[in-house]
Amino acid sequence: MADFIPDDGILVKNARLAVKLELQKKRALGQPIARFNPKTKEIYMENPDGTITPMGSVADQGRYSERLN
């Protein structure tokens, strides 16, 4: 039984459940939640009162040598 390796589906399900519970906890405590919009590649904070505070955006990915200049 010590050699049992759980299926990836179980691990993904548990990870999603942990994130869901953490978001519920933050909402209950009135804490801001950091969010990422994959379409616009922007990072923002969602405050408990519904306001959104932009925090920045993701840098354009490219070759590392090209980013150094």
Side-chain angles (χ1 to χ4, degrees):
M1 192 70 176
D3 296 330
F4 174 72
I5 299 174
D7 183 27
D8 285 344
I10 294 171
L11 296 175
V12 170
K13 182 179 175 183
N14 287 338
R16 288 182 178 163
L17 180 61
V19 170
K20 180 181 175 182
L21 292 174
E22 187 65 25
L23 289 174
Q24 288 177 352
K25 178 182 169 185
K26 285 189 168 281
R27 285 187 186 107
L29 294 174
Q31 296 177 342
I33 299 171
R35 294 209 181 255
F36 174 71
N37 186 342
K39 291 181 181 176
T40 61
K41 296 185 179 182
E42 292 180 346
I43 304 165
Y44 59 91
M45 293 292 278
E46 183 180 315
N47 298 313
D49 60 357
T51 59
I52 294 175
T53 307
M55 301 301 289
S57 61
V58 177
D60 187 25
Q61 297 269 334
R63 292 184 181 171
Y64 182 70
S65 59
E66 294 172 354
R67 288 185 281 171
L68 291 177
N69 297 328

